[in-house]
């Protein structure tokens, strides 16, 4: 193989585009976890898994999600507390309760709640 063809092959292998993903949920939407008993409001998304291999391997294998999907940041709540959760798309469902989430950080990012969704404050819009 000529040298320039070898370089092109190496370059194309090194520049593979990441898979295209589609976020199923919109910022401000209230969702619930498919396996664990908590719900939350979505405030940010990573189109693909951005954390380290070590972080990923720390997830129990039977619960480990596919990396090639969106991962959502949620202001979450359960019966005991409120917290920030980081959840793969495959583990989220639309919330059927329809009520607001009672997390103390929500008012700093969102205002107005209707139809299971919060409206993003103007200063946080891009």
């Amino acid at each position: 193989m000529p040298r320039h063809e070898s370089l092109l092959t190496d370059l194309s292998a090194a520049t593979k585009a990441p898979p295209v993903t589609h976020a199923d949920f919109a910022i401000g939407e209230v969702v619930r976890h498919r396996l664990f008993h908590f719900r939350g409001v979505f405030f940010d998304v990573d189109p693909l898994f951005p954390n380290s291999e070590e972080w990923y391997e720390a997830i129990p294998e039977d619960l480990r999600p596919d990396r090639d999907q969106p991962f959502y940041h949620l202001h979450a709540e359960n019966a005991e507390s409120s917290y920030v959760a980081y959840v793969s798309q495959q583990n989220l469902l639309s919330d059927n309760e329809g009520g607001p989430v009672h997390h103390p950080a929500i008012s700093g990012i969102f205002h107005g709640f209707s139809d299971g969704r919060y409206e993003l404050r103007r200063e946080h819009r891009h």
Side-chain angles (χ1 to χ4, degrees):
M1 173 184 311
R3 180 166 163 65
H4 72 279
E5 285 181 23
S6 174
L7 289 173
L8 287 175
T9 301
D10 291 344
L11 181 60
S12 68
T15 59
K16 284 187 178 178
V20 175
T21 62
H22 173 74
D24 288 346
F25 303 102
I27 289 180
E29 190 170 345
V30 177
V31 294
R32 63 184 173 88
H33 197 281
R34 182 175 63 86
L35 302 173
F36 304 119
H37 191 70
F38 71 85
R39 55 196 296 266
V41 59
F42 157 47
F43 68 90
D44 196 10
V45 64
D46 296 322
L48 297 172
F49 183 76
N51 286 329
S52 69
E53 184 67 22
E54 182 177 81
W55 192 94
Y56 185 75
E57 292 295 327
I59 301 169
E61 191 171 349
D62 60 327
L63 299 175
R64 196 174 298 150
D66 182 14
R67 293 175 212 235
D68 297 334
Q69 63 179 312
F71 282 74
Y72 296 84
H73 300 262
L74 306 171
H75 287 307
E77 67 178 1
N78 61 26
E80 292 82 41
S81 66
S82 59
Y83 49 94
V84 173
Y86 190 62
V87 185
S88 64
Q89 182 165 276
Q90 76 187 51
N91 285 318
L92 291 174
L93 302 168
S94 291
D95 182 65
N96 294 329
E97 289 182 33
V101 173
H102 304 290
H103 189 287
I106 289 175
S107 64
I109 299 174
F110 300 103
H111 68 91
F113 177 80
S114 79
D115 297 325
R117 188 170 180 176
Y118 286 89
E119 184 178 336
L120 193 60
R121 289 185 174 280
R122 180 175 303 279
E123 62 266 25
H124 295 296
R125 296 180 193 163
H126 302 265

